[in-house]
Amino acid sequence: MNYSRAGGILLFLLLLGTGCVNVQKTSNAALYNLEVLEAEGKPQEVITVSNYGYYLFNFFPIFCGNTMEGRIGNTVWFQNHVTLERTQGVMIREIKEQKPLVTNLQTHSYETCFFSVIPYIGNSLGIIWYKQIDLSAVLVKAKK
């Protein structure tokens, strides 16, 4: 048996089982002397939430990150969780207890075709598609 091929298949299966939602936050120390224009207070942290998934013909979801509360980090199959609404829901749950002012909200969405039916033609005849959505914001601690 070819061990490198078996290892590649095992790695592929492990990647399929991992979640595609990622939440990153900066530390307060990274923002210590910074100010946010037109904000009433000091920046507390920057939060970024991203989710990605794979789709058949850019329409039918195959798998993506689970955005449901308590399930972040898991994979959801055959459901579309790569949407702005679901990504916003993750961010809101992450920051709701802090009750910060939110500023500099940025979104970015990206999609691309992996395989084409006819090579070198482009994405118009794509089979497997990758979609990603990112949402970031600066959280500001209000002045007293």
Side-chain angles (χ1 to χ4, degrees):
M1 175 172 202
N2 185 345
Y3 289 109
S4 64
R5 184 174 180 183
I9 292 171
L10 180 61
L11 178 63
F12 177 74
L13 292 174
L14 287 173
L15 289 175
L16 285 180
T18 61
C20 310
V21 176
N22 187 15
V23 178
Q24 295 179 330
K25 298 178 183 180
T26 62
S27 66
N28 291 345
L31 303 171
Y32 181 68
N33 283 325
L34 298 178
E35 292 185 20
V36 179
L37 296 177
E38 299 180 14
E40 297 291 327
K42 284 286 194 182
Q44 185 175 348
E45 68 184 354
V46 176
I47 183 170
T48 303
V49 178
S50 54
N51 191 12
Y52 67 88
Y54 294 90
Y55 293 76
L56 187 62
F57 301 113
N58 200 19
F59 185 74
F60 302 105
I62 301 171
F63 71 93
C64 62
N66 193 338
T67 58
M68 296 179 68
E69 189 169 4
R71 303 231 182 232
I72 293 175
N74 296 330
T75 301
V76 64
W77 293 86
F78 312 114
Q79 296 177 33
N80 184 14
H81 283 222
V82 185
T83 66
L84 181 58
E85 294 81 14
R86 288 190 173 269
T87 307
Q88 286 173 335
V90 172
M91 179 174 282
I92 289 168
R93 286 192 304 270
E94 288 290 323
I95 66 175
K96 70 180 174 184
E97 291 182 16
Q98 299 174 25
K99 297 181 183 174
L101 301 173
V102 178
T103 186
N104 293 358
L105 192 62
Q106 300 285 321
T107 60
H108 178 259
S109 62
Y110 174 77
E111 60 185 55
T112 187
C113 175
F114 270 107
F115 305 109
S116 289
V117 174
I118 303 170
Y120 310 109
I121 295 293
N123 294 339
S124 62
L125 301 174
I127 297 173
I128 304 294
W129 285 74
Y130 170 86
K131 292 183 184 183
Q132 179 175 340
I133 189 156
D134 302 315
L135 179 63
S136 66
V138 177
L139 307 182
V140 176
K141 187 174 185 178
K143 288 183 180 179
K144 294 182 180 180

